[in-house]
Amino acid sequence: MSKERARRRAAREAQLERERAVRRRRVARRERRRAVMRRLTPRWPSRRAGRLARHTRGERAAIVGLTGVALLGIWVFVDSLALRLALVALLLLGLPAIVVLALDRRS
């Protein structure tokens, strides 16, 4: 009786080992394929580069939207062309400082 159980256990273990070997070969083949594809596919530059990359898409949209509203307000409510141009220039020059003060993550 114990010899029969040992023989069946050995057969089960041999079958499990064959299945593990097949799985290892499949996984190794898949990893080799992925490595080849990684080497062959071109690398795109990181989208998170530059000055605006520090901000999320929503923050960038808010910066552009509020700047547009400010520009529209200047052009609607200010009558003098010289004053309009001066305020637009002041807004565009001061915009980076305003963004840093409003959205700085260090504090």
Side-chain angles (χ1 to χ4, degrees):
M1 181 72 113
S2 69
K3 288 182 183 180
E4 180 64 23
R5 280 198 319 252
R7 187 183 59 73
R8 281 187 271 159
R9 183 175 354 114
R12 272 195 320 269
E13 288 175 358
Q15 178 65 26
L16 284 173
E17 186 56 39
R18 281 192 297 272
E19 291 171 2
R20 286 187 195 122
V22 167
R23 177 159 169 68
R24 279 194 299 265
R25 282 194 301 271
R26 281 186 193 146
V27 169
R29 189 176 334 144
R30 186 181 323 134
E31 291 301 319
R32 282 192 305 268
R33 217 176 310 136
R34 285 182 181 169
V36 167
M37 289 305 293
R38 275 194 300 268
R39 280 194 308 266
L40 292 178
T41 54
R43 299 226 190 271
W44 297 101
S46 173
R47 300 184 90 201
R48 304 278 301 170
R51 292 184 188 273
L52 286 178
R54 296 184 191 129
H55 304 291
T56 64
R57 182 174 290 168
E59 289 173 340
R60 288 191 301 256
I63 292 168
V64 171
L66 292 175
T67 304
V69 168
L71 288 172
L72 183 68
I74 289 170
W75 283 95
V76 168
F77 295 116
V78 176
D79 292 330
S80 170
L81 180 64
L83 184 57
R84 282 182 187 171
L85 294 176
L87 287 175
V88 167
L90 184 65
L91 174 69
L92 294 179
L93 287 174
L95 185 62
I98 294 168
V99 169
V100 168
L101 289 174
L103 300 176
D104 191 21
R105 293 193 177 105
R106 283 182 283 176
S107 58

